Amino acid sequence: MEAVSINERWCKGCGICVAFCPKEALVLEHEKARHIPDRCIACGMCELYCPDLAITVDTSKKPARAKKEVA
Amino acid sequence: MAFQKLIRERFFPHLWCPGCGHGTVLNGLLHAVDELGLDQSSLCMVSGIGCSARIAGYVDFHTMHTMHGRALACATGLKLARPSLTIFVPMGDGDATAIGGNHFIHACRRNIDLTAIVLNNRIYGMTGGQYSPLSGQGILATTAPYRSIDPAFDVVQLALGAGATFVARTTAFHVKEIGSIIKKAVQHKGMSVVEIFVQCPTYFGRKNKIGDAVQMLEQYRDRTAPLGSKKLEADPSLIARGIFKDEQRPEYCEEYAKIIARAQGKEA
């Protein structure tokens, strides 16, 4: 399973997660947020920003490569 | 985060507009409750009327959806009857400072152990965008087509003046602060008032040509600064956020318990 899961039924496509993701790992597609796992560092900010509670982030799934990139 | 156990999933997706800040506050509150490890059956949320009051419908705690502006009055009664409950009182700007202004100042004065969260979107969203006591001068609203001439309350100063013992302010942009401040407010013994600026892109943002939810959040990011920061010192026109007061004063329910003991002749 990927670190970020998006509940499309709850997502209203407001674009807040897309705008404030530090790694541009989210995009809007057909008025729903879509996750790009390659760019994601599983920081968990989108989960906190989402006003629709549509995003859950498993921060234990931080990829080792991304950890290095942050450091 | 396992917030699924804290919400009533059957009512989702919620009724708030796309980009509404109320959802972000609900999100932060659930994170705070989860991190504190509070037992759901020890929690109660009491709300009044308005968009913000709908929060009570979504959390799987004990909940009371009461009259407009009277959330704090109902919460005061509940707290006196069941002092062991941890009570959240989410209110909108109109709910807290217009219709419920009287209840608000007196709950602060009594220092009763409640956590009042004022979700300040500066407008009556649910009824169609009328201006509220927190809109401020120069604001466009459906009831102020030539701009409002009413000055706004400062919720923080109002709560401080009325005697609340924990007073804080943050915004829907500062999502980590929402969680950390709510955690401190819950742990505080006495009246806690947390003002949170939330965006209403549908009425406030659109009417005042601020833009969408993202642009409103960017404004919160750019127009506020933490208390005691260099940024705030350099530009006093910025709005301060953070914890303005955190002190101890005798709590109302404890004082009331002493009165009961005295009346029953059990006083030590």
Side-chain angles (χ1 to χ4, degrees):
Chain A
M1 206 188 98
E2 282 168 15
V4 174
S5 52
I6 298 171
N7 182 343
E8 285 208 358
R9 215 170 58 80
W10 291 7
C11 174
K12 290 178 183 154
C14 66
I16 290 176
C17 59
V18 176
F20 298 119
C21 174
K23 288 287 170 184
E24 300 180 3
L26 291 147
V27 288
L28 269 192
E29 235 178 47
H30 308 294
E31 298 193 346
K32 300 279 174 191
R34 192 173 65 80
H35 179 229
I36 305 167
D38 288 352
R39 297 183 190 165
C40 182
I41 55 166
C43 66
M45 288 309 283
C46 51
E47 175 180 310
L48 286 172
Y49 272 115
C50 181
D52 296 302
L53 278 67
I55 306 180
T56 35
V57 181
D58 184 350
T59 45
S60 68
K61 295 232 167 64
K62 265 187 191 172
R65 176 182 57 81
K67 268 184 199 156
K68 250 182 255 163
E69 208 176 272
V70 170
Chain B
M1 203 260 310
F3 61 73
Q4 279 80 4
K5 68 175 168 50
L6 299 174
I7 57 173
R8 295 170 180 156
E9 278 197 57
R10 63 189 183 280
F11 296 132
F12 280 79
H14 57 57
L15 59 63
W16 295 310
C17 303
C20 173
H22 290 354
T24 313
V25 175
L26 169 63
N27 194 339
L29 184 128
L30 294 173
H31 277 85
V33 169
D34 185 55
E35 283 165 28
L36 286 173
L38 298 171
D39 173 16
Q40 273 157 275
S41 59
S42 73
L43 306 177
C44 184
M45 189 176 274
V46 184
S47 69
I49 297 296
C51 294
S52 59
R54 301 299 290 254
I55 286 191
Y58 297 119
V59 293
D60 200 13
F61 315 156
H62 297 296
T63 55
M64 277 167 73
H65 197 167
T66 70
M67 297 147 286
H68 202 1
R70 277 55 173 158
L72 278 171
C74 294
T76 299
L78 177 64
K79 184 70 185 177
L80 281 169
R82 292 270 185 280
S84 62
L85 283 177
T86 298
I87 303 179
F88 295 99
V89 188
M91 295 175 288
D93 43 334
D95 206 27
T97 60
I99 302 95
N102 192 25
H103 299 300
F104 181 76
I105 55 173
H106 291 289
C108 292
R109 175 175 64 88
R110 291 188 181 118
N111 193 34
I112 185 160
D113 187 18
L114 303 171
T115 302
I117 303 169
V118 181
L119 296 104
N120 178 6
N121 59 7
R122 302 176 69 192
I123 202 109
Y124 288 94
M126 186 167 273
T127 48
Q130 294 81 4
Y131 69 90
S132 86
L134 301 187
S135 292
Q137 286 172 320
I139 290 305
L140 288 164
T142 46
T143 45
Y146 301 103
R147 296 191 184 273
S148 159
I149 56 165
D150 293 24
F153 274 130
D154 181 330
V155 173
V156 166
Q157 295 302 330
L158 187 65
L160 289 172
T165 47
F166 182 97
V167 182
R169 178 193 282 141
T170 185
T171 84
F173 175 79
H174 302 92
V175 284
K176 291 203 166 168
E177 257 177 37
I178 297 177
S180 65
I181 286 180
I182 290 180
K183 270 202 274 185
K184 284 185 189 142
V186 170
Q187 288 168 324
H188 175 78
K189 186 95 186 152
M191 180 72 180
S192 311
V193 176
V194 181
E195 182 189 23
I196 306 178
F197 290 164
V198 290
Q199 71 279 14
C200 175
T202 306
Y203 283 107
F204 194 85
R206 192 162 49 102
K207 274 259 173 224
N208 290 284
K209 301 194 171 44
I210 299 170
D212 61 9
V214 170
Q215 284 162 306
M216 293 184 84
L217 286 169
E218 283 168 349
Q219 206 179 46
Y220 293 148
R221 179 191 63 197
D222 300 336
R223 299 301 309 151
T224 65
L227 264 177
S229 66
K230 286 218 167 76
K231 194 179 165 193
L232 188 67
E233 225 172 274
D235 185 358
S237 73
L238 297 178
I239 300 169
R241 20 169 258 276
I243 296 168
F244 290 75
K245 186 177 181 181
D246 185 359
E247 62 176 46
Q248 292 300 321
R249 194 155 64 78
E251 196 271 329
Y252 196 68
C253 293
E254 287 178 357
E255 295 302 302
Y256 190 62
K258 286 181 199 164
I259 289 286
I260 294 173
R262 197 179 306 156
Q264 292 175 337
K266 291 179 193 162
E267 202 175 23

